[in-house]
PDB file of all heavy atoms in Angstrom:
ATOM      1  N   LYS A  21     -80.808 156.602-151.176  1.00 53.00           N
ATOM      2  CA  LYS A  21     -79.424 156.458-150.729  1.00 53.00           C
ATOM      3  C   LYS A  21     -79.465 156.249-149.119  1.00 53.00           C
ATOM      4  O   LYS A  21     -80.216 156.957-148.444  1.00 53.00           O
ATOM      5  CB  LYS A  21     -78.558 157.655-151.018  1.00 53.00           C
ATOM      6  CG  LYS A  21     -78.126 157.726-152.439  1.00 53.00           C
ATOM      7  CD  LYS A  21     -77.199 158.946-152.598  1.00 53.00           C
ATOM      8  CE  LYS A  21     -76.648 158.972-154.107  1.00 53.00           C
ATOM      9  NZ  LYS A  21     -75.783 160.108-154.393  1.00 53.00           N
ATOM     10  N   PRO A  22     -78.755 155.296-148.630  1.00 53.00           N
ATOM     11  CA  PRO A  22     -78.725 154.989-147.163  1.00 53.00           C
ATOM     12  C   PRO A  22     -78.094 156.179-146.478  1.00 53.00           C
ATOM     13  O   PRO A  22     -77.199 156.789-146.971  1.00 53.00           O
ATOM     14  CB  PRO A  22     -78.053 153.657-146.968  1.00 53.00           C
ATOM     15  CG  PRO A  22     -77.158 153.689-148.220  1.00 53.00           C
ATOM     16  CD  PRO A  22     -77.881 154.237-149.268  1.00 53.00           C
ATOM     17  N   ASP A  23     -78.503 156.409-145.222  1.00 52.00           N
ATOM     18  CA  ASP A  23     -77.848 157.393-144.357  1.00 52.00           C
ATOM     19  C   ASP A  23     -76.367 156.991-144.121  1.00 52.00           C
ATOM     20  O   ASP A  23     -76.037 155.782-144.016  1.00 52.00           O
ATOM     21  CB  ASP A  23     -78.499 157.625-143.085  1.00 52.00           C
ATOM     22  CG  ASP A  23     -79.868 158.191-143.256  1.00 52.00           C
ATOM     23  OD1 ASP A  23     -80.051 158.942-144.256  1.00 52.00           O
ATOM     24  OD2 ASP A  23     -80.776 157.964-142.415  1.00 52.00           O
ATOM     25  N   PRO A  24     -75.355 157.905-144.135  1.00 52.00           N
ATOM     26  CA  PRO A  24     -73.996 157.467-143.889  1.00 52.00           C
ATOM     27  C   PRO A  24     -73.892 156.985-142.505  1.00 52.00           C
ATOM     28  O   PRO A  24     -74.457 157.359-141.575  1.00 52.00           O
ATOM     29  CB  PRO A  24     -73.275 158.870-144.095  1.00 52.00           C
ATOM     30  CG  PRO A  24     -74.254 159.890-143.778  1.00 52.00           C
ATOM     31  CD  PRO A  24     -75.603 159.401-144.336  1.00 52.00           C
ATOM     32  N   THR A  25     -73.063 155.891-142.395  1.00 54.00           N
ATOM     33  CA  THR A  25     -72.777 155.282-141.175  1.00 54.00           C
ATOM     34  C   THR A  25     -71.649 155.934-140.427  1.00 54.00           C
ATOM     35  O   THR A  25     -70.536 156.099-140.982  1.00 54.00           O
ATOM     36  CB  THR A  25     -72.397 153.724-141.427  1.00 54.00           C
ATOM     37  OG1 THR A  25     -73.530 153.106-142.023  1.00 54.00           O
ATOM     38  CG2 THR A  25     -72.227 153.070-139.981  1.00 54.00           C
ATOM     39  N   LEU A  26     -71.954 156.508-139.255  1.00 66.00           N
ATOM     40  CA  LEU A  26     -70.935 157.132-138.516  1.00 66.00           C
ATOM     41  C   LEU A  26     -70.169 156.117-137.592  1.00 66.00           C
ATOM     42  O   LEU A  26     -70.820 155.367-136.905  1.00 66.00           O
ATOM     43  CB  LEU A  26     -71.510 158.201-137.647  1.00 66.00           C
ATOM     44  CG  LEU A  26     -72.174 159.320-138.424  1.00 66.00           C
ATOM     45  CD1 LEU A  26     -72.828 160.311-137.398  1.00 66.00           C
ATOM     46  CD2 LEU A  26     -71.265 160.037-139.322  1.00 66.00           C
TER      47      LEU A  26
END
Side-chain angles (χ1 to χ4, degrees):
K21 286 184 178 180
D23 293 333
T25 302
L26 298 178

